Amino acid sequence: DIQMTQSPSSLSASVGDRVTITCRASQGIRNDLGWYQQKPGKAPKRLIYVASSLQSGVPSRFSGSGSGTEFTLTISTLQPEDFATYYCLQHNSYPWTFGQGTKVEIK
Amino acid sequence: EVQLVESGGGIVQPGGSLRLSCAASGFTFSSYWMHWVRQAPGKGLVWVSRIDTDVTQTNYADSVKGRFTISRDNAKNTLYLQMNNLRAEDTAVYYCVRGLWGCDYWGQGILVTVSS
């Protein structure tokens, strides 16, 4: 199975900050990776697909990069509604695997 | 508008069975792979199972293999998850998910609690 190591597990940031979250795959997954945002009590929402493509309707402050084993989600200017938990998901091979999650909290 | 609505959850005793359903609308259901993803209380997301468009291929997480069966009825636009021999560790919110370049649209989730 492919292991997805996501870091950090949590971070504190202020509105307006630039935030970066990383996922590392235990083996190469090309660009078969998505990023998801989940707020408490809600279903996850996809932000980024195939590593760097912005999901329709998602603000442009979200961006993704990477290929192979190293991937990054960047929020360029953190907004109040961005405080949530973020997950990466590899869909290169079964079983699909998620990162452990990164909780973005208000500083 | 894509809609995925899960039903069939509830409380079941260890060793019991439950069948989840997911009613899909707003898209051509028969054209998409479909998945189940679960989330135990306070924990992260875990992929459970996937089915292709014409029910010829399925995949399962090791933790549910042999106990859970994914199926679909394209005529009824419905996805199913038959869960047998349930264990306490199966307690989770189960999400029905459409598969396009990973998981694109998610249902609201349904809670399954395995407890005596």
Side-chain angles (χ1 to χ4, degrees):
Chain A
D1 298 2
I2 296 174
Q3 309 302 317
M4 300 302 296
T5 303
Q6 187 172 336
S7 60
S9 56
S10 66
L11 65 90
S12 294
S14 300
V15 172
D17 284 354
R18 182 182 183 88
V19 169
T20 300
I21 299 168
T22 298
C23 262
R24 179 177 291 113
S26 59
Q27 63 191 73
I29 59 169
R30 301 181 304 182
N31 66 342
D32 298 329
L33 181 119
W35 289 98
Y36 298 81
Q37 177 194 66
Q38 188 179 33
K39 296 182 178 179
K42 299 293 186 182
K45 170 188 168 185
R46 188 165 72 178
L47 304 173
I48 301 288
Y49 63 101
V50 294
S52 59
S53 293
L54 190 67
Q55 182 76 24
S56 175
V58 173
S60 59
R61 63 180 180 273
F62 291 94
S63 64
S65 64
S67 183
T69 60
E70 293 276 342
F71 301 87
T72 299
L73 173 70
T74 299
I75 310 172
S76 60
T77 308
L78 198 66
Q79 296 301 302
E81 59 268 31
D82 300 337
F83 291 95
T85 301
Y86 295 83
Y87 295 91
C88 63
L89 165 67
Q90 72 80 17
H91 55 92
N92 177 263
S93 64
Y94 292 104
W96 289 4
T97 42
F98 289 89
Q100 305 95 314
T102 297
K103 188 173 184 179
V104 177
E105 298 176 302
I106 302 172
K107 182 183 283 185
Chain B
E1 178 193 4
V2 172
Q3 285 201 318
L4 299 166
V5 180
E6 301 95 339
S7 60
I11 301 173
V12 60
Q13 291 188 338
S17 298
L18 214 53
R19 188 176 84 153
L20 303 183
S21 299
C22 170
S25 61
F27 66 102
T28 305
F29 178 71
S30 58
S31 297
Y32 290 84
W33 294 1
M34 296 295 296
H35 303 257
W36 289 98
V37 174
R38 70 184 182 183
Q39 185 170 37
K43 302 296 186 182
L45 299 167
V46 177
W47 175 85
V48 172
S49 183
R50 156 260 180 180
I51 188 167
D52 67 356
T53 54
D54 53 5
V55 201
T56 54
Q57 285 195 333
T58 58
N59 298 86
Y60 297 92
D62 285 346
S63 58
V64 307
K65 203 172 293 183
R67 300 187 298 123
F68 289 13
T69 302
I70 190 171
S71 62
R72 66 191 296 164
D73 186 334
N74 287 337
K76 295 182 177 180
N77 291 341
T78 303
L79 176 71
Y80 303 100
L81 186 67
Q82 177 67 44
M83 304 185 294
N84 298 330
N85 190 20
L86 283 159
R87 306 167 179 166
E89 54 266 34
D90 296 318
T91 294
V93 172
Y94 285 75
Y95 294 101
C96 166
V97 186
R98 192 178 80 167
L100 181 64
W101 300 116
C103 297
D104 61 347
Y105 285 94
W106 298 61
Q108 84 286 354
I110 191 83
L111 178 62
V112 171
T113 302
V114 183
S115 174
S116 54

